[in-house]
Amino acid sequence: MTANITALRRAFEQQFGRAPELIAEAPGRVNLIGEHTDYNGGFVLPVAIDRTVAVAMATRDDGVIRAFSVDYGQCDEFPAERVRRFMGTRGGWRDYTRGVVWALLDAHIPVPGVDIAITGDVPQGAGLSSSAAIEVAVAGALMAGTGIAARDLALLCQKAENLFAGIGCGIMDQFTSVMGQRDHALFIDCRSLQSELVPLLEDIAIVIVDSKIPRKLADTAFNRRREECAEAARALGVDSLRDADESMLPRLSGDLLKRARHVVTENTRVLSAIEALRSSDVVTLGRLLHESHASLRDDFEVSTPELDLLVELASRLDGVVGARLTGAGFGGCTVNLVREEAVGQVREAIVVEYNKQTGLAANVHVCVAVDGLRVSDA
Ligand code: GLA
């Protein structure tokens, strides 16, 4: 699956009475390992997935932006040059389109008047970065042909999310949505913003299980974790927890010790997971995923009973290499690495047992790694 481009073109024509000039498409992401490390200058290993947001666009000469959400049937109209921070309805899709326009203007990049139509199939509120996909698709369309560097585009989108939508996310989601590559995970050093492609294993599928417990990133919990990490870094006298190591941890106590211990050990796990992937060592890879989950549950305290249950159910099944919660936590999804031949059985077993124990109907997305932002003539 990915966004339906044919339906998008048709919706654009119906809404605006003319044909679009270009299409920009940007993927959601799932993180294999390296959670809550990005805003600590650390390491992450995400994958851009085949669930995308697509934007059709045509320019206007009156400086007005008309943005139409095909999926919500809603239109937002505003003069491009007059977008101010926090003028949107916080949390809705408009925040992401307006946020991108604001971030561009704030960086002194002129924004033309445009008609845009947006559609997508990235599950929302599930921790698969539907908001980053909107930002990247919109920014990719607005910046088409300007030669803007991929990493600058990602940073502008992150700024839209941080300062306009008000969520203190790191760079992982937007960077992956721009730079992801087919058949590969993306190792990102979130301090230097250097990245490296890591080939995925051919016979191992990426199975995402949505707990159906909605995750509200804007909730104070995410921003609170970020503050705690900054506080732990200050207490250790380092710029960020990237610079901390295990020998320093005894200088902390209580929650700060737990948060820092997660970040320090998770960074190490990302590096080990890359080695394991490169040497097709699925046993080690699986162990690292489980350790990551335990650390997020016990030290970072962002899991939920439902996510713990999904991981536990998966780990009992044949063919599952490893499982952990993915994304910010507080609900959302688990990521499971599953041998291709076992995907059907694993999917069925998890959904049935999860329903029996919680009454909830988990959604399963079997995903492949795709390329990041793609822009083409319509
Ligand atoms: C959210 C944020 C990311 C990252 C993850 C946790 O997805 O948007 O930047 O911090 O949580 O790893």
Side-chain angles (χ1 to χ4, degrees):
M1 295 203 299
T2 50
N4 184 336
I5 307 287
T6 313
L8 174 65
R9 267 200 205 96
R10 205 177 311 126
F12 185 99
E13 278 160 22
Q14 259 164 20
Q15 181 70 19
F16 300 118
R18 60 183 178 140
E21 291 157 5
L22 65 84
I23 305 281
E25 190 175 5
R29 65 96 189 93
V30 67
N31 191 15
L32 297 185
I33 195 162
E35 220 65 83
H36 291 279
T37 46
D38 62 350
Y39 55 83
N40 289 299
F43 304 133
V44 294
L45 190 65
V47 168
I49 55 174
D50 54 338
R51 302 292 186 278
T52 63
V53 169
V55 164
M57 187 186 92
T59 45
R60 301 165 57 92
D61 52 18
D62 60 0
V64 168
I65 295 190
R66 292 193 296 179
F68 175 59
S69 163
V70 178
D71 307 321
Y72 288 103
Q74 296 169 349
C75 202
D76 189 24
E77 181 170 333
F78 54 93
E81 299 292 333
R82 298 237 310 267
V83 175
R84 298 287 174 268
R85 264 166 72 175
F86 300 120
M87 66 186 282
T89 48
R90 296 185 64 187
W93 66 275
R94 293 175 178 82
D95 279 4
Y96 304 116
T97 47
R98 288 182 179 225
V100 165
V101 172
W102 170 78
L104 293 171
L105 293 174
D106 193 62
H108 306 291
I109 299 172
V111 180
V114 288
D115 286 333
I116 55 179
I118 307 169
T119 191
D121 71 346
V122 186
Q124 291 176 27
L128 300 176
S129 296
S130 56
S131 58
I134 300 180
E135 290 153 2
V136 170
V138 169
L142 289 171
M143 291 292 93
T146 62
I148 187 169
R151 120 194 193 150
D152 292 339
L153 197 76
L155 285 167
L156 281 166
C157 291
Q158 183 199 13
K159 180 169 148 187
E161 181 109 20
N162 287 166
L163 299 180
F164 196 92
I167 297 157
C169 68
I171 189 63
M172 169 170 68
D173 308 345
Q174 290 80 8
F175 196 93
T176 311
S177 189
V178 178
M179 304 274 280
Q181 271 205 29
R182 193 186 163 151
D183 300 333
H184 289 80
L186 193 62
F187 167 45
I188 311 167
D189 175 335
C190 298
R191 181 157 66 187
S192 68
L193 292 188
Q194 301 290 334
S195 63
E196 207 179 296
L197 293 171
V198 182
L200 291 166
L201 301 176
E202 261 174 27
D203 49 351
I204 306 287
I206 298 171
V207 179
I208 299 168
V209 182
D210 186 347
S211 68
K212 287 312 213 32
I213 301 288
R215 192 195 44 100
K216 292 208 177 62
L217 248 199
D219 277 352
T220 45
F222 183 90
N223 291 342
R224 177 72 198 128
R225 287 297 180 282
R226 201 174 167 150
E227 282 160 22
E228 287 170 338
C229 288
E231 224 175 294
R234 270 195 302 277
L236 292 174
V238 292
D239 282 346
S240 75
L241 288 179
R242 161 71 179 271
D243 301 310
D245 61 42
E246 295 205 38
S247 71
M248 299 174 172
L249 294 177
R251 285 155 50 193
L252 297 170
S253 62
D255 282 350
L256 294 193
L257 166 63
K258 289 161 108 186
R259 308 302 184 243
R261 186 165 56 204
H262 166 72
V263 174
V264 167
T265 56
E266 185 79 348
N267 277 332
T268 308
R269 280 189 289 272
V270 173
L271 300 179
S272 307
I274 291 166
E275 260 175 55
L277 267 175
R278 290 202 190 280
S279 56
S280 303
D281 179 356
V282 291
V283 174
T284 302
L285 187 59
R287 180 176 51 74
L288 292 164
L289 262 63
H290 282 113
E291 285 174 8
S292 169
H293 183 79
S295 178
L296 288 159
R297 181 190 60 211
D298 302 335
D299 275 349
F300 218 68
E301 297 181 284
V302 293
S303 191
T304 65
E306 294 81 7
L307 291 168
D308 293 343
L309 174 63
L310 285 173
V311 168
E312 194 199 312
L313 293 176
S315 58
R316 284 191 218 142
L317 297 170
D318 284 345
V320 175
V321 168
R324 56 180 285 279
L325 76 82
T326 186
F330 315 110
C333 297
T334 60
V335 61
N336 304 262
L337 296 181
V338 182
R339 291 189 189 284
E340 285 284 359
E341 68 275 9
V343 169
Q345 277 168 323
V346 164
R347 175 184 198 139
E348 168 84 11
I350 292 180
V351 169
V352 169
E353 193 55 33
Y354 184 67
N355 181 257
K356 211 188 274 174
Q357 296 199 30
T358 63
L360 293 163
N363 257 353
V364 178
H365 310 280
V366 181
C367 291
V368 296
V370 299
D371 287 338
L373 174 67
R374 294 169 296 254
V375 183
S376 56
D377 290 340

